[in-house]
Amino acid sequence: MSFNSTDYLHDQINKQYHQQPKLTRLVSMLGEFLPLESNITDDVIKQIITSDIDTLQTLVKQQRVSYADIATVFYNRAILHKDYHAVMSLNHAVVEEAKQCEYSDDHDPLYGIPVLIKDNVSTTDLPTTAGAVRLKDFYPNQDAEIIQSLKNKGALILGKTNLSEWANFMTTDSANGFSARGGQTMNPFGDYDVGGSSSGSAVAVTLGLSTVAVGTETAGSVIYPASQNGVVGLKRH
């Protein structure tokens, strides 16, 4: 069965939506909703979740929202849309970290912006599991190079996203977007192949859980789920 053939897509849809494994429990680290400031109305929330990075920085510069407001909105969105299984864990300190951020024209565009990270990228402050329950309590000794770079720019690590377990290297018969730790990532547009292996990162951006998310690329692991979920995936060589 060739990749992306009609038979392949039908097989993936059956696995993802009609033949999902029964899990006794999902290992979740999402937490509870956080309170919003009174000025963060539904219209402001909509503006935050539909804005690009430059627009978010403009909103902060104009003092229409704060970095803490942005972090809280995205944090709550991840909990609100938990049934899509796009995000597996959240950084419970992200809002406090955002409160320490102050706007400056000299800052990097990513400064103060919450970013979601695929859960096979090492982070010291959140577990790195590749979707495996056995690694649910594994905290690496140091951040991956890309995480160090994001932190140096002032970006905030919002949480970790679901993926095809072990980036689809568990079995040749795996379902895109499924992991034993996070369950089956769902395509927001309906019963369509969610793509893999960076499914959670793509779905998170589609649902407005963050403006930007990090995936990892092998043979279409970023660009395929991005195309399946209607977002832009950038593959860096």
Side-chain angles (χ1 to χ4, degrees):
M1 189 186 304
S2 63
F3 176 73
N4 213 21
S5 66
T6 300
D7 287 343
Y8 171 85
L9 291 173
H10 286 167
D11 181 57
Q12 282 295 324
I13 290 168
N14 282 331
K15 290 174 183 174
Q16 293 170 39
Y17 300 98
H18 308 299
Q19 299 173 359
Q20 287 186 29
K22 290 187 173 152
L23 301 177
T24 54
R25 67 187 181 92
L26 297 179
V27 180
S28 177
M29 295 178 62
L30 297 187
E32 304 295 330
F33 290 107
L34 300 176
L36 284 164
E37 297 294 334
S38 58
N39 63 304
I40 307 302
T41 63
D42 288 343
D43 286 341
V44 174
I45 291 173
K46 182 177 180 180
Q47 187 169 20
I48 288 173
I49 65 176
T50 57
S51 291
D52 59 19
I53 291 171
D54 287 343
T55 304
L56 289 177
Q57 295 290 5
T58 299
L59 292 174
V60 176
K61 182 177 183 178
Q62 296 173 346
Q63 298 185 343
R64 296 166 63 186
V65 301
S66 68
Y67 289 116
D69 293 330
I70 295 170
T72 305
V73 166
F74 284 130
Y75 187 102
N76 286 346
R77 290 278 296 179
I79 298 172
L80 180 65
H81 292 289
K82 64 183 180 180
D83 289 344
Y84 285 92
H85 303 299
V87 175
M88 288 197 290
S89 59
L90 286 169
N91 174 13
H92 302 319
V94 69
V95 174
E96 291 303 314
E97 293 169 4
K99 288 179 180 177
Q100 307 306 313
C101 297
E102 296 183 2
Y103 182 85
S104 170
D105 289 332
D106 296 329
H107 284 151
D108 187 273
L110 282 170
Y111 179 88
I113 300 298
V115 180
L116 286 168
I117 310 296
K118 185 178 178 181
D119 201 21
N120 64 347
V121 178
S122 292
T123 52
T124 57
D125 41 7
L126 287 170
T128 301
T129 73
V133 172
R134 188 69 178 87
L135 297 178
K136 67 182 178 66
D137 297 317
F138 172 60
Y139 289 79
N141 292 325
Q142 66 180 45
D143 289 323
E145 183 178 344
I146 188 172
I147 303 302
Q148 295 175 27
S149 177
L150 286 168
K151 288 182 176 180
N152 288 338
K153 294 175 184 294
L156 306 175
I157 307 304
L158 174 61
K160 304 298 283 289
T161 58
N162 201 4
L163 67 157
S164 309
E165 189 166 343
W166 292 108
N168 255 343
F169 281 96
M170 278 287 292
T171 170
T172 57
D173 195 36
S174 60
N176 288 332
F178 175 83
S179 75
R181 180 174 179 241
Q184 178 63 58
T185 313
M186 312 294 283
N187 190 314
F189 296 105
D191 292 0
Y192 305 106
D193 179 18
V194 73
S197 62
S198 303
S199 52
S201 297
V203 170
V205 175
T206 301
L207 290 171
L209 314 187
S210 66
T211 304
V212 60
V214 172
T216 59
E217 172 70 30
T218 47
S221 297
V222 167
I223 57 177
Y224 182 52
S227 68
Q228 286 295 109
N229 296 280
V231 295
V232 175
L234 299 176
K235 176 179 177 178
R236 179 180 177 184
H237 294 280

